[in-house]
Amino acid sequence: AGRKGTAISLFTETDFAHLRTIANIMRQSGCEVEEWMLNMKKRRNNKHHAPHLSRGHDAIDTTSMYDKKKRSHKEQIIRQSKEKKHKTSLA
């Protein structure tokens, strides 16, 4: 804060719903903002009016592969245990 330099902001399609608000805040703080960002239509809270938000993109998963494998192995052991209990109850 308070240092001079160049800042670059990157936006994706999913950020467009909030882009106008962000651009206004940037402009109020003295940043240069492209005019097309300020001229965007106001966002609506209704998902039907924001089709780019419902494209079915997966959320970013930050779980490590080690933890994923550990969880998968645990689930497999539980599943096998339940199958074994089910087979013995039928016998």
Side-chain angles (χ1 to χ4, degrees), residues 20-87:
R20 182 176 175 189
T21 304
I22 295 168
N24 280 322
I25 292 169
M26 290 171 60
R27 188 173 110 198
Q28 288 173 359
S29 68
C31 297
E32 287 184 31
V33 178
E34 294 287 330
E35 200 61 36
W36 66 268
M37 290 184 198
L38 299 170
N39 292 333
M40 291 181 70
K41 291 183 180 180
K42 288 186 180 181
R43 75 175 213 169
R44 297 182 184 186
N45 290 331
N46 191 342
K47 284 187 177 182
H48 298 291
H49 290 94
H52 61 279
L53 296 177
S54 61
R55 288 192 180 156
H57 295 292
D58 294 334
I60 295 174
D61 187 5
T62 58
T63 310
S64 69
M65 284 303 291
Y66 173 80
D67 289 335
K68 287 180 183 180
K69 287 179 182 179
K70 190 174 177 181
R71 180 178 49 214
S72 175
H73 185 257
K74 183 178 178 180
E75 289 171 355
Q76 181 183 9
I77 291 172
I78 292 170
R79 193 169 40 258
Q80 289 172 345
S81 175
K82 287 181 180 182
E83 288 173 2
K84 185 178 179 182
K85 285 179 185 180
H86 181 69
K87 285 181 183 178

